Amino acid sequence: KKPIVAIVGRPNVGKSTLFNALAKQRIAIVKDTPGITRDRIYADVTWLDKAFTLIDTGGIEPDSRDIILSQMREQAQIAIDTADVILFMVDVKQGMVDADAKVADMLRRSHKPVILVVNKVDNFDKYMADTYEFYNLGIGDPHPISASGRLGIGDMLDVLVSYF
Ligand code: GDP
Ligand code: MG
């Protein structure tokens, strides 16, 4: 069976932008709850000779009591439980926030391999130093990418497929 990879992180960090960049074809959009339109999206992805199933998630706001946000968090937890490897995305432009640390705690409890992806590093020379604060999440090395600028994605995928 193909490995399953889930992209998780707070809303707006760029998860769907990465998903869309990697997805050659969308195979399913799951809409099992009204109001949750972006809860789980699956795509078949191939990198080098490795194939995997990628899951996009709506995002995790750890403390929100908002019904939609708590349903998104539940869906993300299902994706985490389903995944073999997790891409944990954070946003270099926002920097490390408390919610990132809480998501990191959730991921540690999963005992699954987690790759820390620092997105929106649109210029590696300018912003690389800003990625180092994410070492404080205690989740390992930050892997800088620009999902919209298509930078660093190949190097990040090399690290990802090394877990299969
Ligand atoms: P999601 O909520 O995590 O799925 O985030 P989206 O993929 O919807 O992206 C949120 C916003 O961040 C959108 O306006 C994207 O265009 C923007 N974005 C995504 N990737 C990048 C990036 O690499 N650099 C910059 N500057 N913006 C990005
Ligand atoms: Mg999204």
Side-chain angles (χ1 to χ4, degrees):
K1 195 172 175 306
K2 273 192 282 186
I4 296 173
V5 177
I7 311 174
V8 303
R10 295 182 297 104
N12 238 35
V13 296
K15 297 180 298 299
S16 298
T17 304
L18 176 64
F19 178 89
N20 289 329
L22 297 178
K24 290 204 179 75
Q25 54 184 151
R26 281 180 203 196
I27 55 174
I29 296 172
V30 177
K31 276 200 266 187
D32 40 21
T33 311
I36 304 291
T37 54
R38 288 179 296 276
D39 52 352
R40 278 176 288 156
I41 303 181
Y42 301 80
D44 281 320
V45 178
T46 306
W47 178 246
L48 309 175
D49 56 343
K50 306 277 188 83
F52 60 94
T53 300
L54 188 64
I55 309 181
D56 189 15
T57 67
I60 306 172
E61 283 288 7
D63 293 323
S64 179
R65 283 159 196 274
D66 177 283
I67 184 77
I68 298 291
L69 293 176
S70 66
Q71 285 174 343
M72 279 163 58
R73 182 170 58 232
E74 240 171 72
Q75 291 300 322
Q77 185 64 59
I78 292 167
I80 290 165
D81 294 343
T82 309
D84 297 296
V85 184
I86 294 153
L87 295 177
F88 172 27
M89 186 176 281
V90 294
D91 178 343
V92 79
K93 293 196 187 294
Q94 288 207 302
M96 191 180 133
V97 300
D98 193 46
D100 292 326
K102 288 186 169 139
V103 176
D105 287 338
M106 261 175 88
L107 295 177
R108 263 189 287 276
R109 285 195 289 276
S110 77
H111 300 290
K112 299 213 169 156
V114 175
I115 297 166
L116 175 58
V117 179
V118 183
N119 190 34
K120 309 196 185 180
V121 186
D122 299 333
N123 180 323
F124 275 33
D125 291 331
K126 262 191 190 163
Y127 304 119
M128 189 65 77
D130 296 338
T131 67
Y132 301 141
E133 71 166 320
F134 293 103
Y135 273 108
N136 293 314
L137 291 169
I139 219 99
D141 296 336
H143 299 280
I145 69 161
S146 172
S148 61
R150 305 289 195 274
L151 299 173
I153 295 176
D155 287 346
M156 185 273 290
L157 289 174
D158 287 343
V159 174
L160 172 65
V161 301
S162 75
Y163 284 89
F164 300 165

